[in-house]
């Protein structure tokens, strides 16, 4: 998997959770479970933090952390995906998240 495909995986996974978002542990559990993307390796917090900035710069998707309810990550500008999500869908085969 390319890094861009990994970014898209993160965006799709968070987008599918909506406003509720995911904790980093929940995201990491999904990440590890999808061995096509993770090779069974966890997603380190430092990598995720760096990738959040890259996702914003490259895809225009802003991932924020809501402190209430246990540090949950969510997409704060989901409207940017109304058009872009179809591009993400085309570039990535459908997988259960």
């Amino acid at each position: 998997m390319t890094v861009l495909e990994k970014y898209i995986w993160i965006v799709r996974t968070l987008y599918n959770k909506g406003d509720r978002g995911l904790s980093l542990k929940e995201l990491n559990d999904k990440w590890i479970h999808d061995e096509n993307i993770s090779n069974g390796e966890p997603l380190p917090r430092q990598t995720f933090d760096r990738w959040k900035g890259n996702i914003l710069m490259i895809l225009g998707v802003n991932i924020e952390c809501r402190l209430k309810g246990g540090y949950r990550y969510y997409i704060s500008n989901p409207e940017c995906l109304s058009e872009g999500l179809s591009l993400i869908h085309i570039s990535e085969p459908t997988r259960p998240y």
Side-chain angles (χ1 to χ4, degrees), residues 31-46:
W31 174 268
I32 291 169
H33 183 17
D34 188 342
E35 290 191 13
N36 290 324
I37 201 85
S38 70
N39 294 320
E41 297 292 325
L43 177 62
R45 176 181 296 278
Q46 298 85 352

Side-chain angles (χ1 to χ4, degrees), residues 26-89:
E26 292 167 332
L27 182 64
N28 217 337
D29 289 345
K30 290 180 178 298
W31 174 268
I32 291 169
H33 183 17
D34 188 342
E35 290 191 13
N36 290 324
I37 201 85
S38 70
N39 294 320
E41 297 292 325
L43 177 62
R45 176 181 296 278
Q46 298 85 352
T47 300
F48 178 66
D49 287 341
R50 186 175 61 252
W51 285 5
K52 286 189 312 179
N54 294 345
I55 288 169
L56 178 59
M57 288 186 332
I58 295 168
L59 301 174
V61 176
N62 192 25
I63 298 171
E64 291 193 20
C65 181
R66 181 177 300 113
L67 303 180
K68 243 180 167 177
Y71 296 96
R72 302 190 71 80
Y73 292 93
Y74 67 100
I75 296 173
S76 65
N77 61 341
E79 66 281 354
C80 79
L81 292 172
S82 58
E83 257 182 53
L85 190 59
S86 57
L87 295 175
I88 290 171
H89 183 72

